[in-house]
Amino acid sequence: MRFPIFTYACLMGLLLGCNERIEPEILPDEEVPEKPSEPSTDPDDQPPSWPEGETGKTYVWDKEHIPQIKVYVSKNQWKTVLDGYDEHSNGSSYVRCSVVFDKDGAKDSISNAAIRLRDNSDAMRPNDSANEMYVNNESDWYLSNYEINFNKYISDEKNSLRKVKGIFLKSCYNDPTYSRERYCYDLFDRFGIWTIARNTYCRLSFHIEGDENPAYLGVYQMIEPIDNDYLEDRSNHFGNIAGNLWKCHFGATLSSTSNLKASIDKEDGTASQYMLVTGNSSMADAAAQLKSFINNLTTLPDDEFKDWISKVCDVQFLLKTYAVNVTVGMWDDYWNNSNNYYLYFDSTSTDSYKVYLIPHDYEMSLGNSSSKMQDPSATDPFKWGQNRNPLIARILAIEEFKDIYADFIMGLLQQGNYLFYHYEAINTIKDLMQQVEPYTANDTGINMQPVDKTYPRSADKTSVLTTDGRNCFFYKRSNALNEYIAK
């Protein structure tokens, strides 16, 4: 949807009044990378040389900058992406693409990259309606979620983004403020939850072969994928990174091994409750390990459960993680909705391992709600989820662990920690919204500027900016948490 200049100007005038606005910088005359090709067989082909210190995840996920990511795809490859969405909207198979990563004029071009739709069930088709072909310069664009893999076709350092192997590009379609998920990821990080993935902003454009100009999709979140590279980057925490990593979808209650829906992640958009992302054992052996964990979790008597869970899990760290989750009101999670988490077992043994719950996907937070939980700001942190989801329910049934969990929540609420105290949290949200505001107007016409609202289907309509305690999520949530913990 490319808006005429007059219509666009009127829209911006109504939205912004007299405020000066910086338009997104799209460079039409930049050098486009060559089309994806087969891997090089030249023995003299050497890895690129980058300036000292300007490589790796610190360079890519630099919160002080909002880089531009420009994706170039052939028309035939793009048809495969659209066909994949029409088959199952959650994702598609990878197709070849070229990518330019522009960080303040420092441009990296990767010609043999791969892109797919990923975790897209709550988003929308990239273009037009179901089964419609892409029409150059005419098709409407919408907000979908993508994953780019730089090593899919050529697995070497040269074909990477300064040694980074992949990025997950997530739209802010479900968050008109552009800040909820970024705030939550940052809060996890500030509270010492080292399992949280990196997350910062970027500006995303697509150029389909035959288009006169790129389509600018606006500000996206650039999130670190949870995969082998993620594990390697945290090897000092995990210790052993040769275990099994599961991505857990809706219905992954960890409550029963009968009819367990587990499969290997085929990276094509198909999904099961438990998807083996990476592992150093067969699918059968990985599933046996998962089933053994679930059996112990659900059948051990109370007098044995505490010793066992303390042995296979860092319970304090899990409770610290969950204190953040419940404080920010993320209801589309493991405990409440059996969704949106990863499990990592640090070995392949069925009875000797450490297991870690990895938080993931936080757009449904800070007042975004549904019929599943209509008022997250007021919900009891000790009754957040369902007893049939035993990993948290059984742990919090132990008084010692319940007290630890309550202490972590109170630590989040303390003034001066720059965590969840309302004035500090509101200022953080303001800073994030101001950071992206110059770049949010886009060619889709969706979420053209940051607005203090919940997503359209949200049952809750609380604000994240107002200092009015009756309507502010941070005020309401803090008060409710204090009251429940004081009981």
Side-chain angles (χ1 to χ4, degrees):
M1 185 183 296
R2 315 288 174 82
F3 289 115
I5 293 175
F6 175 77
T7 304
Y8 176 81
C10 291
L11 179 60
M12 289 297 96
L14 289 171
L15 291 173
L16 302 177
C18 297
N19 291 341
E20 183 178 354
R21 185 182 187 85
I22 303 171
E23 297 301 331
E25 181 186 3
I26 304 298
L27 307 178
D29 57 348
E30 74 173 305
E31 182 180 350
V32 178
E34 63 187 63
K35 289 184 178 181
S37 59
E38 295 301 316
S40 171
T41 57
D42 184 352
D44 297 322
D45 215 2
Q46 298 298 316
S49 176
W50 294 297
E52 186 68 26
E54 294 189 3
T55 61
K57 296 187 176 183
T58 302
Y59 177 83
V60 173
W61 279 279
D62 180 352
K63 295 179 182 179
E64 300 302 315
H65 299 83
I66 304 182
Q68 295 186 72
I69 297 176
K70 304 180 182 183
V71 181
Y72 300 83
V73 188
S74 74
K75 200 165 182 179
N76 283 337
Q77 296 284 276
W78 192 242
K79 180 180 183 301
T80 301
V81 172
L82 297 179
D83 289 346
Y85 177 91
D86 292 337
E87 184 177 353
H88 32 66
S89 63
N90 190 57
S92 68
S93 298
Y94 277 112
V95 301
R96 289 184 179 270
C97 69
S98 296
V99 176
V100 172
F101 183 88
D102 184 345
K103 182 179 175 183
D104 289 350
K107 299 179 183 178
D108 290 272
S109 297
I110 302 97
S111 298
N112 287 283
I115 191 167
R116 64 166 175 150
L117 295 173
R118 184 198 136 177
D119 292 356
N120 198 52
S121 57
D122 288 333
M124 52 190 77
R125 198 176 193 263
N127 308 108
D128 305 316
S129 301
N131 301 312
E132 287 189 15
M133 299 285 289
Y134 184 80
V135 180
N136 289 114
N137 308 309
E138 295 183 16
S139 285
D140 291 333
W141 280 86
Y142 302 108
L143 298 178
S144 296
N145 301 326
Y146 303 92
E147 184 167 17
I148 297 176
N149 186 330
F150 300 108
N151 273 190
K152 178 70 174 177
Y153 303 120
I154 302 179
S155 183
D156 64 22
E157 187 174 294
K158 179 181 178 181
N159 217 76
S160 69
L161 178 55
R162 304 200 181 206
K163 301 183 182 179
V164 168
K165 298 175 183 177
I167 53 178
F168 174 37
L169 301 173
K170 185 174 181 182
S171 82
C172 295
Y173 169 63
N174 283 325
D175 179 19
T177 74
Y178 280 86
S179 65
R180 283 181 168 86
E181 192 155 18
R182 266 297 312 276
Y183 171 86
C184 292
Y185 273 66
D186 287 353
L187 180 61
F188 275 111
D189 185 46
R190 293 196 306 274
F191 202 51
I193 307 302
W194 52 265
T195 47
I196 195 67
R198 290 172 172 85
N199 185 356
T200 189
Y201 293 121
C202 68
R203 293 170 279 167
L204 180 62
S205 300
F206 272 86
H207 196 293
I208 308 303
E209 180 185 24
D211 282 349
E212 294 178 9
N213 297 301
Y216 178 61
L217 304 191
V219 172
Y220 267 59
Q221 296 173 92
M222 181 170 61
I223 302 175
E224 176 188 16
I226 298 175
D227 54 16
N228 269 326
D229 203 29
Y230 163 93
L231 296 175
E232 290 173 9
D233 191 60
R234 292 160 178 79
S235 59
N236 61 320
H237 290 293
F238 286 121
N240 183 15
I241 59 171
N244 296 314
L245 176 65
W246 295 89
K247 184 177 183 181
C248 304
H249 288 272
F250 180 74
T253 63
L254 301 175
S255 63
S256 174
T257 59
S258 61
N259 299 318
L260 189 74
K261 297 178 181 178
S263 64
I264 294 175
D265 183 3
K266 297 178 182 178
E267 297 184 333
D268 63 357
T270 57
S272 59
Q273 291 173 347
Y274 305 95
M275 297 177 63
L276 186 63
V277 177
T278 183
N280 286 273
S281 57
S282 68
M283 177 64 203
D285 288 343
Q289 181 189 58
L290 178 62
K291 288 179 179 179
S292 174
F293 173 72
I294 293 173
N295 276 329
N296 285 332
L297 184 63
T298 55
T299 64
L300 280 177
D302 290 344
D303 58 349
E304 297 179 28
F305 174 77
K306 181 182 177 183
D307 288 341
W308 171 78
I309 195 65
S310 298
K311 177 183 176 183
V312 302
C313 175
D314 183 342
V315 175
Q316 287 209 26
F317 186 73
L318 174 60
L319 293 174
K320 188 176 185 180
T321 300
Y322 236 89
V324 179
N325 184 89
V326 171
T327 295
V328 300
M330 165 51 173
W331 54 268
D332 192 16
D333 63 336
Y334 161 69
W335 190 12
N336 184 69
N337 207 32
S338 314
N339 195 22
N340 286 327
Y341 68 99
Y342 288 76
L343 282 181
Y344 176 63
F345 294 85
D346 72 350
S347 82
T348 58
S349 168
T350 57
D351 55 14
S352 178
Y353 52 76
K354 282 284 188 181
V355 64
Y356 299 85
L357 183 146
I358 300 169
H360 164 67
D361 197 348
Y362 276 77
E363 63 190 351
M364 292 303 160
S365 63
L366 306 186
N368 266 351
S369 64
S370 78
S371 58
K372 186 77 176 180
M373 185 177 288
Q374 296 192 6
D375 189 2
S377 65
T379 302
D380 187 339
F382 302 108
K383 299 178 181 177
W384 183 256
Q386 305 183 54
N387 288 334
R388 67 181 176 87
N389 293 11
L391 180 58
I392 305 299
R394 290 203 72 181
I395 288 174
L396 289 185
I398 299 169
E399 200 67 28
E400 175 189 343
F401 292 152
K402 183 178 178 181
D403 290 342
I404 291 170
Y405 172 67
D407 287 344
F408 281 134
I409 292 175
M410 295 306 295
L412 286 162
L413 304 182
Q414 285 182 6
Q415 183 177 3
N417 288 349
Y418 291 92
L419 296 169
F420 199 80
Y421 182 72
H422 44 267
Y423 282 124
E424 296 160 358
I426 290 168
N427 285 333
T428 300
I429 294 289
K430 285 181 179 178
D431 289 344
L432 291 171
M433 292 174 72
Q434 289 172 3
Q435 185 181 7
V436 300
E437 193 274 338
Y439 311 110
T440 51
N442 63 81
D443 288 333
T444 72
I446 302 167
N447 291 352
M448 294 288 279
Q449 68 166 10
V451 180
D452 184 16
K453 292 182 178 179
T454 51
Y455 86 117
R457 299 192 302 276
S458 178
D460 191 3
K461 302 299 179 185
T462 52
S463 165
V464 290
L465 289 181
T466 183
T467 55
D468 178 358
R470 294 169 298 177
N471 297 315
C472 177
F473 178 84
F474 294 108
Y475 274 89
K476 291 176 66 178
R477 189 69 184 134
S478 297
N479 289 338
L481 291 170
N482 276 303
E483 290 175 6
Y484 282 116
I485 290 173
K487 290 180 179 179

